[in-house]
Amino acid sequence: MISRRQFLQATAAASMLASASGLGPLGRAAAQQRLSQADITRFDALGRLTILHVTDVHAQLMPLYFREPSVNLGVGDANGKPPHLTDKEFRAHFNIAAGSADAYALTSDDFVALARNYGRMGGMDRIATLIRSVRAERGDDNVLLLDGGDTWQGSWTSLKTNGQDMVDIQTALRIDAMTSHWEFTLGHERVKEIAEKAPFAFLAQNVRSLEWQEPVFEPRKIYERGGARVSVIGQALPRTAVANPRWMFPDWEFGIREDDIQKQVDESRAAGADVVVLLSHNGFDVDRKLASRVKGLDVILTAHTHDAMPGVLKVGDTILIASGSHGKFLSRLDLDIRDRKVSGYRYKLMPVFSDAIAPDPDMKALVEKIRAPFAADLSRELGRTESLLYRRGNFNGTFDDLICDAMLTERDAEISLSPGFRWGGTLVPGDAITFEAVANATAMTYPNCYRTEMTGEQLHAVLEDVADNIFHPDPYFQGGGDMVRVGGVGYTIDVSKPVNQRISGLTELKSGKPLDASRKYVVAGWASVNQNTEGPPIWDVVEKYLGRVKTVRLEPNTSVSVKGA
Amino acid sequence: MPTLLKQGSRREVLAAGGLAALAALLAPRMAFADEKAVEAELKKLYGDKKFETGRIKLDVPQIAENGLVVPINVEIESPMTADDYVKAVHVFADGNPQPGVVSYRFTPECGKAAAATRMRLAQTQNIVCVAEMSNGKLYSTKSEVKVTIGGCGG
């Protein structure tokens, strides 16, 4: 007879072992360059219930390169803790060998060489294969498939079909439930229309009608799987109305609504739930704090901040999972339910290596059908890159440097601003820059590239405001996303300081002179949350610029100096 | 209310050329109240009497979704009987042009000392809430509300 305590220890030891060589035997196989689907799906099953989690796909139907951040700072309690580790520290923490498949999937250094070796990741037809394999192994009735949101936005096809392409994919994958963030930027009517018709649940306990404070969506749903009653509570991004244009959903309010989550948990238990899962789009640090304050959550499936961790993080009895983004990973969590309680778990972050996984034929056909009407646009070559083009990272990325340069040139501006989005693929040196690649970094419903005037003081205030959104020591005051990217200007940031004291040394790069607080500068930017913003869509601006320069070559960006990390 | 909201944000955009929220944050900075202005208001009401903590449940968002209409809910713990009830509740904002937001007066017949409204906040600031009891005791609490330019989500 094994006690529960011993069992948990054994499980923990097992997961330590699993992460000791990174993603299990994968690292060794990779070293011999013989990745197989079996290496990826291999799992020592536990109990009867399996939860699969995919999130922040950002409408990526096809395999792509996606470089994880080299700078991903944590502040306050999150400082130096996973997932706020990068490269060497990340590999040391999770026992990952440099140069291995897991190092390629999860860290950023040596990305170009490893990308050539290990290839693209993701692709909905590969995800479909993995899901099918787990369902075959465990039985349909024992598997719950959950989508953390940010699924309907991020590609040309999702923009052009108002998210219908991804709804069709989710339907074909037979997802059980999803929650939401960027979905809301399709506008309230469209979101309601899909949520009401879709064969899966659209769960969001924290969205209320502005005037009456009534729930807009179903807050939770109970599923009978693996012989257990599993309550899934949905949590949309609490900061949607601040992070995205509120006029697109003018009658809705969001917020964390911690007390209401507690109520949902308590009601779930009263309704006979054995397991309570928060399908969350809060972002990792918010969920880490929330787990310490809301009682009775067994699992939080995190999203929004695009973190990927090859192991769970436990806060009290709550298991936190971070499943990455862009279809790069599919999480599998097996739960052993005894006496109507979670008595053990086993977890694997399955990396979706597109070269190793056989595409599911049905899904492959669906993806081709979705893409066919847009084939000419998607494949149109706009230029080529000699540099690595990536976005993810707290302060800058070369893809945004390209977008900022395009705005400076095409909109004849002194300063350009590009939002710190975490979505958008990566291109390796030698790649063609297709319209699809540009759309993957820009496709959204408020793309207008404005041209306006701002004083040095105003720009300073913007940078301070955005910095506080990322580096506020209390995660409940953070909104997710990275620092706004700036073209034409450099600055120093001390992330340890409070609001309005972080940014200093604003310098105009061309002249090398400090920015004049009272002088007006011509500023171009895109993705303004204000209604009726005027200007061409950002993808047109980038296309025009690429038509001019043809070949992109970018030096490492040294215009932002970071202190206090 | 929703229609009003829409028009409000639209007017701002037209006025400020796409940087409305920013303009709202910066323009009236010189005319803002501060902590001292709130203290002065409290002194006018209650002289040098001391405030205790507790009893007040002040519910405001950590981050305002729309600075023009920030929801505020207050509830004071009290039996609300003839000899023990909440007489008044005052709400102040220390970063608005004028610190006073709203004052409520209660009688035992109210049954419950609770109120909800919306307020406009010009910038990130503290909301101060004080409650005056029928026995003369005073309670206070405060909560910061962040008003942000917005944009740039993950």
Side-chain angles (χ1 to χ4, degrees):
Chain A
M1 185 71 191
I2 182 168
S3 75
R4 181 167 173 222
R5 191 192 159 88
Q6 283 170 326
F7 184 79
L8 286 177
Q9 282 167 345
T11 313
S15 59
M16 284 289 285
L17 277 178
S19 60
S21 61
L23 306 170
L26 193 62
R28 288 193 298 278
Q32 300 155 36
Q33 301 187 19
R34 279 191 292 102
L35 283 170
S36 78
Q37 194 171 310
D39 293 325
I40 293 166
T41 54
R42 185 173 301 125
F43 195 101
D44 187 9
L46 177 76
R48 278 177 65 198
L49 172 65
T50 290
I51 295 174
L52 293 176
H53 181 231
V54 64
T55 192
D56 297 82
V57 169
H58 283 286
Q60 294 303 315
L61 299 171
M62 303 292 287
L64 82 173
Y65 294 121
F66 183 87
R67 175 190 177 275
E68 298 294 334
S70 52
V71 180
N72 185 22
L73 304 176
V75 287
D77 291 343
N79 187 281
K81 287 186 195 158
H84 296 282
L85 302 170
T86 53
D87 295 336
K88 210 172 155 192
E89 284 79 22
F90 190 102
R91 290 193 296 270
H93 184 88
F94 290 107
N95 293 307
I96 292 170
S100 64
D102 0 352
Y104 165 62
L106 294 159
T107 56
S108 75
D109 42 0
D110 213 13
F111 185 83
V112 175
L114 296 179
R116 296 199 198 289
N117 191 22
Y118 294 112
R120 292 182 170 81
M121 295 188 71
M124 285 303 116
D125 50 8
R126 272 71 167 191
I127 293 262
T129 297
L130 294 183
I131 292 169
R132 184 170 286 201
S133 148
V134 174
R135 281 192 172 128
E137 178 204 328
R138 299 287 272 173
D140 270 11
D141 294 346
N142 300 320
V143 176
L144 191 61
L145 174 57
L146 302 172
D147 179 335
D150 277 5
T151 308
W152 306 346
Q153 174 276 338
S155 74
W156 192 242
T157 53
S158 66
L159 185 69
K160 287 288 148 187
T161 63
N162 283 317
Q164 191 59 46
D165 60 339
M166 295 311 294
V167 175
D168 292 347
I169 296 283
Q170 290 172 306
T171 303
L173 291 175
R174 286 188 287 126
I175 71 157
D176 289 295
M178 73 178 294
T179 192
S180 175
H181 165 205
W182 273 93
E183 283 73 13
F184 296 120
T185 65
L186 295 179
H188 56 147
E189 283 167 3
R190 175 67 176 145
V191 175
K192 266 296 206 186
E193 181 196 357
I194 298 174
E196 277 158 19
K197 277 202 300 211
F200 47 85
F202 188 99
L203 304 175
Q205 74 86 24
N206 59 331
V207 185
R208 297 281 188 286
S209 65
L210 189 63
E211 191 160 1
W212 299 104
Q213 293 294 299
E214 285 165 343
V216 176
F217 301 101
E218 222 182 330
R220 65 168 193 270
K221 191 169 171 181
I222 292 189
Y223 297 86
E224 307 256 359
R225 295 291 152 86
R229 289 171 70 82
V230 186
S231 177
V232 179
I233 303 165
Q235 173 86 344
L237 176 73
R239 306 305 172 208
T240 302
V242 177
N244 304 93
R246 197 178 57 238
W247 59 267
M248 292 182 166
F249 32 86
D251 303 334
W252 296 349
E253 270 187 354
F254 299 77
I256 297 174
R257 300 178 192 267
E258 205 179 58
D259 294 350
D260 292 318
I261 298 179
Q262 186 66 63
K263 219 176 280 174
Q264 292 294 335
V265 175
D266 297 345
E267 286 174 15
S268 298
R269 297 283 180 200
D274 307 313
V275 185
V276 182
V277 176
L278 186 67
L279 179 60
S280 169
H281 208 96
N282 278 335
F284 195 90
D285 292 344
V286 173
D287 279 326
R288 189 200 324 251
K289 178 175 172 182
L290 190 131
S292 71
R293 294 160 61 92
V294 173
K295 300 296 157 215
L297 282 169
D298 294 301
V299 179
I300 302 182
L301 303 168
T302 74
H304 184 50
T305 37
H306 292 192
D307 303 295
M309 292 200 309
V312 312
L313 192 139
K314 282 198 84 178
V315 177
D317 290 331
T318 307
I319 298 165
L320 274 70
I321 301 289
S323 306
S325 63
H326 294 79
K328 268 181 84 174
F329 302 98
L330 176 69
S331 276
R332 172 174 174 176
L333 178 69
D334 281 15
L335 294 176
D336 190 16
I337 315 293
R338 303 207 180 170
D339 303 326
R340 306 198 49 219
K341 277 193 298 223
V342 176
S343 70
Y345 67 89
R346 204 163 285 152
Y347 173 69
K348 183 172 181 178
L349 180 72
M350 289 190 275
V352 186
F353 284 100
S354 65
D355 293 346
I357 301 166
D360 177 89
D362 294 344
M363 185 59 80
K364 185 167 184 273
L366 177 58
V367 168
E368 280 166 4
K369 189 179 140 215
I370 288 168
R371 288 167 58 84
F374 310 99
D377 272 331
L378 295 174
S379 60
R380 197 165 76 242
E381 188 175 319
L382 310 181
R384 298 196 83 85
T385 182
E386 291 181 2
S387 305
L388 173 69
L389 295 183
Y390 65 94
R391 171 173 278 164
R392 186 74 179 87
N394 282 156
F395 299 101
N396 41 41
T398 43
F399 215 119
D400 286 309
D401 291 338
L402 164 63
I403 293 171
C404 283
D405 287 349
M407 286 190 285
L408 290 177
T409 306
E410 302 303 323
R411 299 291 279 156
D412 190 21
E414 298 171 278
I415 296 168
S416 56
L417 300 173
S418 191
F421 295 137
R422 294 188 173 196
W423 46 268
T426 300
L427 297 179
V428 297
D431 272 359
I433 306 175
T434 59
F435 182 77
E436 175 168 32
V438 172
N440 282 345
T442 57
M444 50 130 69
T445 53
Y446 48 107
N448 305 75
C449 179
Y450 60 82
R451 185 173 187 275
T452 188
E453 285 187 333
M454 282 168 87
T455 63
E457 189 191 1
Q458 285 174 320
L459 185 75
H460 186 240
V462 169
L463 294 180
E464 285 286 0
D465 194 81
V466 180
D468 198 54
N469 194 43
I470 303 159
F471 299 114
H472 195 296
D474 181 346
Y476 278 18
F477 287 86
Q478 296 169 7
D482 285 313
M483 191 65 190
V484 59
R485 277 64 165 132
V486 189
V489 162
Y491 64 90
T492 298
I493 178 167
D494 186 336
V495 300
S496 67
K497 290 269 169 51
V499 68
N500 296 331
Q501 295 173 33
R502 293 189 182 97
I503 309 288
S504 63
L506 274 163
T507 307
E508 198 185 8
L509 294 178
K510 210 159 46 177
S511 66
K513 283 187 193 150
L515 224 56
D516 182 343
S518 54
R519 201 201 117 186
K520 282 184 173 169
Y521 295 85
V522 177
V523 178
W526 63 289
S528 165
V529 296
N530 294 309
Q531 199 169 7
N532 302 327
T533 300
E534 288 178 8
I538 187 65
W539 48 81
D540 283 355
V541 175
V542 176
E543 176 164 0
K544 225 169 136 193
Y545 177 73
L546 287 171
R548 203 189 291 266
V549 298
K550 304 278 193 301
T551 303
V552 173
R553 198 177 309 115
L554 287 160
E555 299 305 317
N557 188 332
T558 55
S559 58
V560 180
S561 152
V562 182
K563 293 200 298 197
Chain B
M1 182 153 37
T3 330
L4 275 176
L5 275 182
K6 242 186 205 163
Q7 285 173 351
S9 15
R10 182 170 167 170
R11 200 164 46 231
E12 277 182 328
V13 171
L14 293 176
L19 289 159
L22 173 69
L25 275 178
L26 291 173
R29 177 157 284 170
M30 275 148 56
F32 289 158
D34 54 17
E35 268 176 64
K36 285 203 179 90
V38 173
E39 279 166 23
E41 292 293 316
L42 290 175
K43 199 155 185 169
K44 262 192 253 170
L45 285 167
Y46 300 116
D48 289 324
K49 286 173 89 175
K50 294 275 169 276
F51 291 89
E52 294 176 37
T53 56
R55 291 242 187 170
I56 305 176
K57 195 182 160 214
L58 172 63
D59 185 13
V60 286
Q62 286 124 342
I63 302 180
E65 297 194 0
N66 179 358
L68 296 174
V69 279
V70 182
I72 170 169
N73 286 272
V74 290
E75 190 166 349
I76 320 298
E77 204 186 297
S78 163
M80 295 302 276
T81 56
D83 43 353
D84 184 5
Y85 64 96
V86 180
K87 271 176 81 175
V89 171
H90 306 282
V91 178
F92 302 97
D94 70 8
N96 269 0
Q98 296 295 323
V101 174
V102 64
S103 293
Y104 297 103
R105 299 195 187 276
F106 297 93
T107 67
E109 285 74 25
C110 294
K112 178 166 139 175
T117 186
R118 301 228 170 206
M119 60 191 162
R120 176 171 171 176
L121 298 180
Q123 60 174 344
T124 298
Q125 58 188 296
N126 291 308
I127 302 306
V128 178
C129 180
V130 301
E132 179 190 352
M133 304 305 192
S134 57
N135 63 6
K137 272 197 178 176
L138 299 172
Y139 292 87
S140 84
T141 189
K142 103 180 154 176
S143 193
E144 192 185 31
V145 177
K146 185 170 160 180
V147 180
T148 170
I149 298 170
C152 314

